[in-house]
Amino acid sequence: MPNAYISGTGFYVPPRVVTNDDLANQYGIDTTDEWIYQRTGIKERRYADEGVSASDLALHASESAIERAGIDKRDIDLIILATLSPDHHFPGTGVHLQEKLGLCEGENATFVPALDVRNQCSGFLYGLATAASMIQAGTMHNVLLVGTEVHSAAIDFTSRGRTVTSLFGDGAGATVVSATEEDRGVRSWKLGADGRYAKALSLKIWDIAKRPYIPLDENGIGQMDPEMMYPFMNGKLVFRHAVERMIEVMSQVTREQDLCIDDIDLFVFHQANLRINEYIQKQIGAPAEKFVNNIGRYGNTTAATIPILLAEAEESGRLERGMKVAMVAFGSGFTWGCVLADW
Ligand code: ACO
């Protein structure tokens, strides 16, 4: 059975920086840099310009991951794309990325399959577990796995939405997951979900059970209530469950591998709130130096967070061959997961 390892990483964030002060001064949101930073660790985030979609960010990140993996894009056997901000309701965003990568053009078109994952902050880890399983089963050799988000198009820039709006940022991270005979790669993973909390962190945008599914006025024009248009979050509930589930899933995976927390060289945690990660770090008794964080610069980039962290850690030399890496995430659904890999 081949092993599955991450052979290339890449990321892309849009150039426009929006600081906490910008949210207050330019967008007119009733907030302060002090409130946001103290509660979340966020200083600034990136916003894509109008006209830029999740597949555009994904394209840049993917090109860089493919180059660093040292493969030709035509060697990709499958695209897995995780997002909560898809380009459209359907089709999935993976096919837009496939087309933008030029994989359905010319004589060498591969028409590679494209699979969308809709598991929010855990989406990348759900995708990684899927990619690794397919590679270990011998059915795939190179899977392009991408997390990409354009949150800034669908958050509430009035003070009503300040809790959620101050958290999120745009960006994309990509990895190539490849087969190898070497003794490295994904060792173990565990995923979970608890649908009882589906509404605790959700964007209703429309209700497909209703006729019409988007409320219309007498002229047939869509009338969208802000409560449906923008994300709803029960922040305190999310915080509590995130802490519990992330610790639980990580200890399940490490125990299964006969490892303890001290054996982990690098913790790559989802970045929803720096305070969540700091709390977990203290609970498990791991040194802060073993954690990589970027929430201060990018905010919560949901499915893109973990692959962006991996790409940055590789670029800066913090991620080296042979390291034991624990990737852990929790998010809307609720969904969560942990993947343990030998880099
Ligand atoms: N600026 C100023 N005041 C604010 C802001 C802001 N940006 N946001 C909220 N407030 C106010 C609230 O309106 C409230 O005011 P009130 O008491 O007058 O009503 C007060 O601050 C307290 O609000 P809470 O929501 O109770 O604040 P809390 O201490 O819970 O912190 C936070 C909010 C930071 C969002 C926290 O709950 C949290 O991080 N939760 C987890 C978030 C998370 O992990 N999300 C995952 C998303 S990932 C995904 O899957 C999509």
Side-chain angles (χ1 to χ4, degrees):
M1 184 169 101
N3 284 312
Y5 81 114
I6 293 178
S7 59
T9 60
F11 79 103
Y12 178 80
V13 286
R16 184 151 63 96
V17 177
V18 176
T19 64
N20 295 339
D21 283 333
D22 292 339
L23 289 181
N25 302 332
Q26 287 177 22
Y27 290 82
I29 297 177
D30 179 15
T31 190
T32 60
D33 174 54
E34 192 191 7
W35 195 99
I36 299 173
Y37 182 69
Q38 280 185 0
R39 294 281 213 300
T40 68
I42 299 168
K43 285 302 259 182
E44 59 190 39
R45 71 285 294 141
R46 303 297 181 96
Y47 285 167
D49 287 332
E50 192 172 349
V52 175
S53 60
S55 61
D56 294 315
L57 303 189
L59 175 64
H60 294 301
S62 300
E63 285 173 338
S64 153
I66 292 166
E67 191 187 326
R68 288 175 69 163
I71 61 166
D72 186 274
K73 63 185 178 185
R74 287 177 190 80
D75 296 331
I76 294 165
D77 304 307
L78 169 70
I79 293 171
I80 302 179
L81 186 144
T83 187
L84 75 59
S85 47
D87 291 8
H88 307 287
H89 185 53
F90 73 84
T93 304
V95 296
H96 295 307
L97 175 61
Q98 184 233 41
E99 199 261 330
K100 286 175 182 174
L101 276 166
L103 294 176
C104 36
E105 257 169 41
E107 278 177 17
N108 296 324
T110 59
F111 300 113
V112 61
L115 171 70
D116 274 40
V117 171
R118 298 296 309 275
N119 291 82
Q120 299 67 249
C121 299
S122 316
F124 178 80
L125 296 186
Y126 270 70
L128 184 52
T130 306
S133 302
M134 288 182 165
I135 287 168
Q136 287 158 351
T139 52
M140 301 279 165
H141 288 94
N142 293 301
V143 178
L144 175 64
L145 169 60
V146 192
T148 182
E149 305 289 357
V150 176
H151 288 307
S152 58
I155 43 180
D156 186 354
F157 286 104
T158 70
S159 296
R160 181 185 48 217
R162 62 186 176 177
T163 314
V164 169
T165 298
S166 53
L167 295 179
F168 289 105
D170 302 341
T175 54
V176 176
V177 189
S178 300
T180 180
E181 297 304 322
E182 291 175 21
D183 186 19
R184 65 186 297 197
V186 172
R187 299 301 192 193
S188 184
W189 53 263
K190 192 156 185 60
L191 306 172
D194 188 344
R196 290 175 300 171
Y197 298 103
K199 288 186 181 152
L201 180 49
S202 56
L203 173 55
K204 300 201 187 81
I205 198 82
W206 56 60
D207 187 345
I208 212 79
K210 293 216 170 96
R211 310 288 184 274
Y213 68 102
I214 291 175
L216 303 176
D217 68 11
E218 62 279 9
N219 301 314
I221 295 171
Q223 295 293 302
M224 199 57 99
D225 180 342
E227 281 195 9
M228 289 186 88
M229 262 185 89
Y230 300 119
F232 168 80
M233 180 176 70
N234 180 340
K236 285 192 168 52
L237 188 79
V238 175
F239 197 111
R240 184 159 57 79
H241 281 261
V243 167
E244 282 170 17
R245 291 300 189 186
M246 288 170 78
I247 293 177
E248 180 188 69
V249 74
M250 196 169 43
S251 47
Q252 285 167 341
V253 172
T254 44
R255 237 190 349 255
E256 197 183 288
Q257 290 294 300
D258 247 341
L259 297 171
C260 63
I261 289 300
D262 284 350
D263 295 319
I264 306 298
D265 298 305
L266 199 69
F267 295 92
V268 182
F269 277 21
H270 177 60
Q271 310 275 297
N273 181 335
L274 189 61
R275 310 304 165 217
I276 294 179
N277 295 357
E278 287 172 342
Y279 183 83
I280 297 175
Q281 178 236 318
K282 292 203 175 84
Q283 286 290 308
I284 63 175
E289 305 77 67
K290 285 191 174 182
F291 286 72
V292 280
N293 291 306
N294 61 18
I295 190 165
R297 289 174 284 129
Y298 303 144
N300 180 356
T301 53
T302 309
T305 295
I306 290 182
I308 294 177
L309 282 171
L310 292 174
E312 287 189 327
E314 264 211 318
E315 248 178 47
S316 66
R318 285 202 67 189
L319 193 45
E320 288 172 4
R321 176 83 198 262
M323 279 184 153
K324 282 204 185 310
V325 182
M327 294 165 259
V328 190
F330 177 91
S332 154
F334 293 149
T335 59
W336 59 88
C338 174
V339 176
L340 192 69
D342 284 327
W343 203 256

